[in-house]
């Protein structure tokens, strides 16, 4: 299958599996897993934070971060379309009694600092206490540049709140901007990084922050059932990904651009955006996009969306796959035209 639905569908390579098999293991809840400890230290060094903690998923990582930053009745400001507001089943509110204050996300993927200023609440008995700004990079594949974080930091310091960065795909931003992970992390108080997307591990995320924050987050991780034992098997996959799967993210971005440049000449397809490893295309209502999807599936090509597709490139998609896919789309379209469906 050539699977464009998400970069979460990547499977561990044989070399990654070998690293997992060879990993020295212990019980991580006891702090005894050497592979986990080494990975956490490596991430702390890479981000410039004091500490790091391996977590089962990005959602669990963000949840532990929000709950570690905020107490019951505190408020976090975030974007309407950001993961920490929209896609985490309301976990921060349900499990932490933390009040979300979502605001509109700009076309750039950023939150306008004026919009944040407009919802800032006084320290007054009527209001929830402002505690945290929760940002995202990349958002829908859009890279948020370094100077935005610099301004957000100044703003947060002026108004006395912390910044959490949902950096599920932060390495896509890092390779696109040609910077170091540290360069972004210096402006935030915590970061969550996913390894099961473009980096290709079977599961796992890492939360990084100060020693005190990660200590609180460890208790929270246990509380939500996220304390795992021989997690070194996952940590070793992550370690392998850091060595072998970061710079190649550039290839995914190149493949996304290639797909966009080929599909834009196909009648009925309009490219609306190409952001790092994601291509957004709109399909002419005159075309039966559902049927096209079915035909593509029969040819081993999976896409998601109705009339608007999000095509995600990743580790398991090659240049040849991109070319084959666009050719197959053309073939399916002419079949549909002949059959008048
Ligand atoms: C994927 C993703 C996450 C975490 O998702 P999980 O499936 O829980 O690992 C968090 N934030 C963003 C922006 C994401 O894209």
């Amino acid at each position: 299958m050539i699977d464009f639905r998400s970069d979460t569908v990547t499977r561990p390579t044989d070399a990654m599996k070998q690293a997992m098999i060879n990993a020295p293991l212990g019980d991580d809840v006891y702090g005894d897993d050497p592979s986990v400890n080494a990975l956490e230290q490596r991430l702390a060094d890479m981000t410039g934070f004091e500490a790091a903690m391996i977590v089962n998923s990005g959602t669990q990582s963000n949840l532990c971060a929000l709950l570690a930053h905020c107490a019951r009745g505190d408020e976090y400001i975030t974007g309407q379309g950001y993961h920490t507001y929209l896609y985490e089943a309301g976990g921060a509110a349900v499990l932490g009694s933390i009040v979300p204050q979502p605001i509109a996300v700009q076309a750039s993927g950023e939150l306008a600092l004026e919009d944040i200023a407009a919802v800032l609440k006084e320290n007054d008995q009527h209001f929830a206490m402002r505690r945290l700004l929760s940002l995202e990079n990349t958002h829908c594949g859009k890279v948020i540049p370094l100077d935005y974080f610099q301004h957000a930091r100044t703003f947060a310091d002026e108004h006395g709140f912390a910044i959490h960065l949902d950096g599920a795909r932060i390495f896509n931003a890092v390779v696109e901007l040609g910077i170091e992970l540290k360069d972004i992390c210096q402006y935030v108080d915590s970061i969550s990084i996913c390894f099961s997307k473009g980096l290709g591990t079977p599961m796992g995320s890492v939360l990084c922050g100060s020693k005190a924050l990660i200590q609180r987050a460890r208790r929270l991780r246990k509380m939500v059932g996220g304390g795992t034992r021989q997690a070194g098997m996952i940590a070793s996959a992550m370690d392998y990904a850091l060595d072998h799967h970061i710079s190649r993210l550039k290839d995914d971005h190149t493949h996304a651009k290639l797909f966009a440049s080929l599909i834009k000449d196909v009648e009925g397809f309009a490219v609306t955006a190409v952001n790092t490893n994601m291509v957004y295309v709109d399909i002419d209502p005159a075309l039966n996009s559902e049927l096209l999807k079915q035909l593509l599936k029969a040819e081993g090509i999976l896409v998601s969306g109705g009339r608007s597709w999000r095509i995600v490139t990743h580790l398991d998609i090659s240049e040849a796959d991109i070319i084959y896919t666009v050719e197959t789309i053309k073939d399916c379209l002419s079949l549909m035209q002949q059959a008048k469906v």
Side-chain angles (χ1 to χ4, degrees):
M1 282 289 180
I2 305 173
D3 195 341
F4 290 100
R5 292 172 303 168
S6 176
D7 45 9
T8 56
V9 301
T10 48
R11 274 154 301 186
T13 61
D14 288 339
M16 182 182 278
K17 285 182 193 162
Q18 207 52 52
M20 295 169 76
I21 288 168
N22 295 336
L25 302 174
D27 187 323
D28 182 44
V29 175
Y30 286 105
D32 282 351
D33 190 302
S35 301
V36 170
N37 294 343
L39 191 271
E40 290 180 344
Q41 187 57 53
R42 185 172 183 187
L43 260 299
D45 293 342
M46 286 179 75
T47 55
F49 282 115
E50 285 174 351
M53 173 179 84
I54 189 172
V55 195
N56 289 320
S57 68
T59 300
Q60 194 174 66
S61 186
N62 283 330
L63 177 65
C64 290
L66 294 174
L67 267 62
H69 280 290
C70 302
R72 196 164 176 253
D74 286 349
E75 175 189 89
Y76 73 104
I77 298 169
T78 192
Q80 288 277 3
Y82 282 4
H83 209 277
T84 52
Y85 176 64
L86 192 57
Y87 296 113
E88 301 186 354
V94 175
L95 301 166
S97 300
I98 306 165
V99 185
Q101 168 64 70
I103 59 177
V105 179
Q106 302 292 300
S108 62
E110 298 167 1
L111 303 183
L113 297 185
E114 309 88 81
D115 291 349
I116 302 173
V119 299
L120 280 187
K121 296 160 190 69
E122 296 304 314
N123 185 357
D124 173 292
Q125 62 176 331
H126 291 85
F127 303 127
M129 285 290 287
R130 64 163 175 263
R131 193 68 68 192
L132 185 70
L133 175 61
S134 178
L135 299 174
E136 192 169 302
N137 199 8
T138 62
H139 172 65
C140 297
K142 289 171 193 158
V143 175
I144 316 295
L146 216 43
D147 64 337
Y148 175 80
F149 288 94
Q150 194 178 358
H151 295 139
R153 177 79 264 167
T154 308
F155 183 86
D157 287 345
E158 271 169 27
H159 298 283
F161 48 75
I163 302 177
H164 170 66
L165 177 58
D166 177 357
R169 296 190 178 86
I170 195 66
F171 283 113
N172 293 84
V174 164
V175 301
E176 194 65 22
L177 293 169
I179 58 171
E180 303 275 316
L181 181 55
K182 260 187 194 157
D183 298 337
I184 295 185
C185 293
Q186 66 178 318
Y187 297 120
V188 300
D189 299 287
S190 56
I191 185 170
S192 169
I193 303 170
C194 283
F195 281 75
S196 64
K197 293 189 168 160
L199 296 185
T201 72
M203 59 178 285
S205 284
V206 170
L207 177 66
C208 309
S210 69
K211 256 193 186 123
L213 186 91
I214 296 301
Q215 202 168 17
R216 286 200 295 283
R218 272 189 203 283
R219 173 172 278 110
L220 293 159
R221 183 186 69 175
K222 192 80 185 93
M223 191 189 290
V224 295
T228 50
R229 305 299 176 168
Q230 286 72 41
M233 290 198 88
I234 298 304
S236 62
M238 290 169 153
D239 192 59
Y240 181 89
L242 290 176
D243 286 337
H244 301 281
H245 291 174
I246 292 179
S247 59
R248 65 148 308 285
L249 290 171
K250 274 257 177 210
D251 300 342
D252 298 341
H253 302 178
T254 305
H255 293 159
K257 287 194 192 89
L258 175 66
F259 181 88
S261 76
L262 295 175
I263 202 74
K264 79 172 180 350
D265 297 329
V266 178
E267 207 179 313
F269 278 76
V271 175
T272 57
V274 192
N275 309 322
T276 55
N277 67 328
M278 297 181 193
V279 186
Y280 291 84
V281 288
D282 277 353
I283 298 166
D284 191 322
L287 285 179
N288 186 341
S289 60
E290 270 314 304
L291 177 61
L292 177 59
K293 254 169 72 173
Q294 295 302 322
L295 293 173
L296 288 174
K297 191 173 175 181
E299 298 296 326
I301 298 166
L302 294 177
V303 295
S304 63
R307 298 223 152 274
S308 297
W309 288 1
R310 183 189 74 162
I311 297 291
V312 186
T313 57
H314 51 73
L315 189 58
D316 293 344
I317 290 179
S318 66
E319 184 181 311
D321 291 336
I322 301 279
I323 293 165
Y324 169 76
T325 296
V326 176
E327 286 310 309
T328 307
I329 289 174
K330 286 183 193 164
D331 291 347
C332 292
L333 287 174
S334 57
L335 269 178
M336 285 163 63
Q337 212 165 24
Q338 280 162 29
K340 298 192 174 21
V341 287

